[in-house]
Amino acid sequence: MSEISHVVIPRGFRFGAIKAGLKASGRTDFALLVADEPASAAAAFTGNKVSAAPLIIDKENLKATGGRVRVVAINAGNANCAAGQAGLDAARATCAGAAAVFGCTPQEVFPSSTGIIGVPLPAEKLIAVMPALAAQLGSESDHFQQVALAILTTDTVEKTAFARFEVSGREVRIAALCKGSGMIHPQLVPHATMLVYILTDAEIAPSTLQEYLNHAIELTFNRVSVDGDTSTNDTVLLLASGASGARTDAGNAEFKNALTQVCTSLARQVVADGEGITHVVELRIDGAASDADALKAAKAIAHSMLVKTAWAGADPNWGRLVAALGYSGAQIDPERIDIAFGDLPVCTNGGRAAQFDEEKAHAYLKQEEFSIEIQLNLGTGSCVFWTTDLTTEYVHINADYST
């Protein structure tokens, strides 16, 4: 193993990717994450009522195994969604094919798909290349990177994050990868598609693992939006191999913090790679009547096309922010709203700030990344939310997606 693999790659897993012929580009489009032994699993899926076939099968399989996964099979280039019974059959066939190759049950396989909706998935192409892919799996960092590249669709870069720490004197590692660029407004339950896979070698029971994942998701993946569209395929999967021997029970601060940091990194990478974006925006809402109200306010701003196009042009039109707050559904007192672009006051007590300098505000919004601070002065509710602008390039990408 390479030196970096000794540092960042969790023990107990192998990885790899191959060309199955799903992507028109001819690039790798099928990947496997394989646990040496059935791993504890926790997962969250899209809140979209139109759900892709693999998600339906994933839920069935996790229930059947009590939260254990041996093989994760991920294809790009086809979402396997809105394909009716054929889609379910394709997902089950993929599970059966993986089970035959790796000597596990079909219920221990976790299929995932991303790509165009409404086109039948040719599972036979995945099954045909699975033996060759199984033969080339490895546990080094470059094998992990192969998976990160293979699952991309409209993404421009691969997205990975790592952490390591100690539990009771034993080193624990977390490695995560994801894809996501467009169709990004995850509404994950409980509580172009975003797929997230997080691996750790800690020893954690499935129920406890789910608690950790739910907490991390609420503060990270449920706090981002590129275009306000919630995918049919959004999935976050967390696997724990136990290979480190570090038993981690509920309430372990080190694991909780490391997992949240890894998820935050991936969430921000997804936003930064948003389709056609030129600005990444951090919204900080404070003084809301509740945290839920703060989130409503953030989402109203993040999903406003008027706001997002203003950001694209670095236009300091703060009035659009106030308007979005007003229809957000959050409790609002129009005469108590304060807004700042970074350290630059633009709105005080609901009106134009005396210090407002349009030229400085315009220059500030020209930055690739900037923050907007909003104080509602009604309570202690708060929220941090990451989003983007909306550009003509986004329109071009999505106008030509399937043609």
Side-chain angles (χ1 to χ4, degrees):
M1 291 177 65
S2 63
E3 184 177 347
I4 191 171
S5 299
H6 279 299
V7 175
V8 301
I9 303 299
R11 292 146 287 196
F13 297 100
R14 290 173 293 143
F15 330 96
I18 200 169
K19 297 176 183 179
L22 298 182
K23 286 182 178 177
S25 65
R27 296 176 181 173
T28 55
D29 50 19
F30 184 48
L32 294 174
L33 301 170
V34 180
D36 295 338
E37 300 292 336
S40 293
F45 302 98
T46 184
N48 195 321
K49 291 182 180 179
V50 177
S51 183
L55 279 66
I56 296 171
I57 302 305
D58 290 335
K59 293 173 185 177
E60 292 178 357
N61 288 356
L62 289 173
K63 183 177 181 180
T65 63
R68 298 286 174 178
V69 169
R70 179 79 196 288
V71 179
V72 182
I74 315 161
N75 76 266
N78 186 306
N80 193 12
C81 179
Q85 186 60 44
L88 294 171
D89 291 345
R92 290 194 176 100
T94 301
C95 292
V101 171
F102 292 99
C104 63
T105 68
Q107 290 75 27
E108 290 177 309
V109 180
F110 189 99
S112 284
S113 299
T114 180
I116 192 166
I117 295 171
V119 178
L121 173 66
E124 66 276 6
K125 290 188 176 183
L126 307 183
I127 296 168
V129 299
M130 211 172 296
L133 177 51
Q136 65 189 48
L137 296 178
S139 53
E140 297 192 28
S141 57
D142 59 338
H143 296 102
F144 187 79
Q145 202 72 12
Q146 287 175 22
V147 178
L149 286 168
I151 65 175
L152 305 183
T153 51
T154 58
D155 310 61
T156 64
V157 294
E158 67 273 21
K159 303 167 184 68
T160 58
F162 306 90
R164 60 176 179 161
F165 51 97
E166 287 193 358
V167 173
S168 302
R170 293 179 182 267
E171 184 189 64
V172 171
R173 302 172 190 168
I174 298 177
L177 57 87
C178 78
K179 63 85 55 184
S181 184
M183 198 178 274
I184 300 297
H185 174 219
Q187 299 182 67
L188 295 160
V189 181
H191 170 144
T193 299
M194 187 186 74
L195 300 180
V196 181
Y197 307 95
I198 310 166
L199 309 176
T200 181
D201 49 18
E203 181 183 349
I204 311 177
S207 58
T208 302
L209 201 64
Q210 190 70 55
E211 293 176 8
Y212 281 118
L213 182 61
N214 292 350
H215 175 268
I217 282 172
E218 193 57 34
L219 297 177
T220 59
F221 299 119
N222 279 354
R223 296 289 182 272
V224 299
S225 178
V226 170
D227 48 22
D229 267 305
T230 298
S231 171
T232 57
N233 292 55
D234 284 336
T235 301
V236 179
L237 176 67
L238 171 59
L239 298 180
S241 69
S244 70
R247 182 172 178 81
T248 307
D249 296 319
N252 184 285
E254 288 81 5
F255 186 84
K256 181 179 180 180
N257 292 338
L259 179 62
T260 301
Q261 289 173 10
V262 165
C263 291
T264 299
S265 174
L266 290 181
R268 295 193 66 166
Q269 288 179 59
V270 167
V271 171
D273 194 32
E275 291 174 346
I277 70 112
T278 57
H279 297 90
V280 174
V281 185
E282 181 177 85
L283 296 172
R284 305 188 71 91
I285 313 294
D286 291 300
S290 65
D291 289 347
D293 263 15
L295 182 57
K296 287 180 183 178
K299 286 188 175 184
I301 291 170
H303 297 157
S304 166
M305 287 187 287
L306 286 175
V307 170
K308 295 170 83 68
T309 51
W311 289 338
D315 183 358
N317 191 341
W318 59 268
R320 293 182 178 180
L321 301 174
V322 172
L325 291 171
Y327 65 66
S328 67
Q331 184 178 335
I332 299 292
D333 183 340
E335 296 183 357
R336 302 177 72 176
I337 298 172
D338 297 331
I339 302 174
F341 294 167
D343 296 328
L344 303 172
V346 298
C347 171
T348 303
N349 296 328
R352 180 183 174 115
Q355 309 98 310
F356 178 63
D357 186 315
E358 187 173 25
E359 187 174 334
K360 287 183 178 180
H362 175 63
Y364 178 77
L365 296 183
K366 280 187 171 182
Q367 299 178 106
E368 292 184 1
E369 297 189 18
F370 57 82
S371 66
I372 293 179
E373 317 273 343
I374 297 176
Q375 174 59 249
L376 299 179
N377 293 302
L378 292 175
T380 59
S382 65
C383 171
V384 179
F385 197 95
W386 297 279
T387 187
T388 69
D389 59 358
L390 180 64
T391 68
T392 54
E393 181 60 22
Y394 176 90
V395 176
H396 291 313
I397 290 170
N398 287 284
D400 302 330
Y401 187 78
S402 66
T403 55

